Amino acid sequence: MSSDRIKIVWIYPDLLSTYGDQGNTIVLERRAALRGIPTETVNMRSDEPVPQDGDIYLLGGGEDRPQILAAQRLRNDGGLQYAAQRGAVIFAVCAGFQILGHEFGGEEGQPVPGLGILDIHSGRGQTRAVGEVVGDVSAELNVPRITGFENHQGATSIGPGAKPLAKVISGIGNGDGSGFEGAYAGRVLGTYMHGPALVRNPGLADLILTWAVGRQLPPIDDSWAGRLREERLNAVLT
Ligand code: GLN
């Protein structure tokens, strides 16, 4: 990024927007604006090429078949892999998280190749994970306890090239028996948390913005965001 202006690319609103994760885009725009940082958001449909000059790329969750189509199109495009190589920030939720990995399970459990951006493998789990999830985030990320809503059949294992985003306190998370939720490597981060995740977890939103601008951001008044967050944490943990 040449100056404090952030280009956000929302990937495939036509395929990966069934779970409300587009709210993550709005939160990033708003939290950047409160720091006086302008943003430009591109809603990139699946018949369009992935822009090469994004600072933050966002992927949401999706149903099994649109997820497979999204993975095929992103693989053929190659732009997201390129963005990862040049150090762009990528934040992906659920189906989008699985797509970043080496492979994931299709609607019949068949292995579907992903993008290989994140060292994770996903398959089809025995049961569907539906409900609230809470986790304590990896200490090096310096983000408070995360809260979200999960709804997935996929189970995800993390390879040596990535680290767990969080340790599950309540809920299922990655569902591979590890007790972990999400994964990250460099500035690429994935999670099973809907909610949308960045609405519920302003600390995670600020981590992503900090990665994008390359500097610490001044704190802002989080009393309203904090109320939702506290309500959900209390509902699950008490
Ligand atoms: N179809 C995927 C699964 O069930 C992703 C679902 C989602 O994005 N919520 O694992």
Side-chain angles (χ1 to χ4, degrees), residues 97 102 117-121 140 157-165 180 182-186 188:
F97 173 39
H102 301 295
I117 291 173
L118 202 51
D119 188 13
I120 56 166
H121 280 85
E140 69 174 2
S157 305
I158 302 173
K163 298 176 187 173
L165 169 63
F180 293 133
Y184 70 101
V188 177

Side-chain angles (χ1 to χ4, degrees), residues 1 4 13 21 52 57 70 83 94 102-103 131 157 211 216 226:
M1 215 181 61
D4 260 6
D21 300 311
Q52 303 287 301
Y57 293 80
C94 205
H102 301 295
E103 67 176 26
S157 305
W211 281 347
Q216 288 304 311

Side-chain angles (χ1 to χ4, degrees), residues 19 60-64 67 93-96 98 124 128 151-154 192 194:
Y19 291 85
E63 309 295 333
D64 293 341
Q67 176 182 3
V93 177
C94 205
Q98 295 175 9
R124 206 112 176 115
R128 197 163 183 87
N151 183 355
H152 57 101
Q153 184 90 34
Y192 272 109
H194 300 291

